[in-house]
Amino acid sequence: MPEPTQVLPEVLSQIHALPVSSRPLIICDVDEVILHLIAHLEDYLHARELAFLKYEYRLTGNIGRQDGQQPLSSDDVRRLLLEFFDEVSHSQDMVPGAGDALNALAADWDVILLTNLPGGHNKPAREKLLAGLGIAFPLLTNSGPKGGAVAALSRGRPEPVVFIDDSPTNHESVHATLPSAVQIQFIADARFLNATEKADHIDLLSGDWQETAAFIGAILQGSSRNHQNG
Ligand SMILES: [Mg+2]
């Protein structure tokens, strides 16, 4: 069971710079949720005669030479990912329906994007890419498990806060830190999605933005109904 995590000071200062709001909140990851990542990473690996060894949610130990099963060292994976992010951050493709779904939900919800960017220096490229796709929500950069950042973002907001992310590590961290959150594990890549088992703390496991938007839409309908009845 993971421990609750604390928000990092550099993330807290980004949170304090946001406009004050008491609207319901969706906290949404970027990679593999709004922008494709795995498909781009796979192309990048194949061009270097590398490949995922399994469709399994970890990178260290899971990237190796196409002609063998020997994984790259964690240092090599880290270096490869930094190069990959530098090359791809300005040109990732949008996951179908992400922009339409988030913009429609924004009628009732505030949307804040929370992304883990190695180095953080690709943030301007990423903001420009997202804005060009019509996704113009505040973008916060974090590093490490996201529970602390999500709990800090949820202060002053009505429950439940909705958290959307592909990473099981981030979901475990949010469950340990803010158990009231509605947790949506969104994985755009069908192979990684199908290889993922839904954990008990996950409310919806999906790779489809229409399904995800309908699920989130029903949350407010449910709470207003409870309100009328209660
Ligand atoms: Mg992600």
Side-chain angles (χ1 to χ4, degrees):
M1 186 69 205
E3 295 288 305
T5 49
Q6 296 288 323
V7 60
L8 300 169
E10 60 268 30
V11 181
L12 200 55
S13 62
Q14 296 175 67
I15 293 173
H16 287 156
L18 292 170
V20 175
S21 167
S22 56
R23 300 176 83 211
L25 178 64
I26 296 168
I27 301 165
C28 188
D29 181 33
V30 176
D31 286 318
E32 205 52 29
V33 176
I34 296 176
L35 299 176
H36 279 293
L37 180 84
I38 288 171
H40 293 296
L41 180 55
E42 194 164 44
D43 289 345
Y44 187 85
L45 295 176
H46 288 176
R48 284 154 187 79
E49 296 184 359
L50 298 167
F52 294 117
L53 301 177
K54 288 181 184 160
Y55 297 127
E56 179 175 287
Y57 245 90
R58 69 199 162 90
L59 294 174
T60 301
N62 195 24
I63 293 173
R65 305 223 64 89
Q66 274 179 324
D67 54 12
Q69 290 295 303
Q70 186 63 28
L72 297 187
S73 72
S74 56
D75 277 353
D76 284 346
V77 169
R78 198 171 305 126
R79 205 171 307 122
L80 189 78
L81 288 177
L82 285 174
E83 289 168 11
F84 164 72
F85 272 105
D86 279 345
E87 191 172 301
V88 84
S89 290
H90 60 282
S91 64
Q92 284 165 265
D93 294 330
M94 186 177 74
V95 174
D100 287 348
L102 288 169
N103 282 308
L105 287 165
D108 296 317
W109 301 76
D110 282 352
V111 177
I112 292 175
L113 310 182
L114 181 65
T115 186
N116 277 4
L117 266 190
H121 60 281
N122 295 317
K123 185 176 179 181
R126 169 148 295 198
E127 282 174 323
K128 195 169 160 215
L129 174 64
L130 288 167
L133 296 167
I135 300 171
F137 305 110
L139 175 72
L140 273 56
T141 53
N142 180 67
S143 53
K146 292 184 178 175
V150 168
L153 278 165
S154 78
R155 271 171 220 142
R157 301 286 186 158
E159 285 189 346
V161 162
V162 174
F163 176 67
I164 313 173
D165 203 291
D166 59 318
S167 151
T169 309
N170 286 331
H171 275 292
E172 282 165 12
S173 168
V174 167
H175 179 60
T177 314
L178 186 72
S180 67
V182 168
Q183 298 191 225
I184 299 175
Q185 188 172 15
F186 190 104
I187 304 174
D189 186 284
R191 299 159 306 172
F192 279 79
L193 175 65
N194 292 334
T196 299
E197 221 171 298
K198 183 174 162 293
D200 285 344
H201 56 264
I202 299 297
D203 297 289
L204 174 69
L205 174 64
S206 181
D208 182 307
W209 266 108
Q210 277 191 341
E211 179 185 38
T212 298
F215 184 88
I216 296 171
I219 295 171
L220 288 187
Q221 286 167 15
S223 65
S224 66
R225 219 175 6 249
N226 290 344
H227 215 72
Q228 284 159 14
N229 293 344

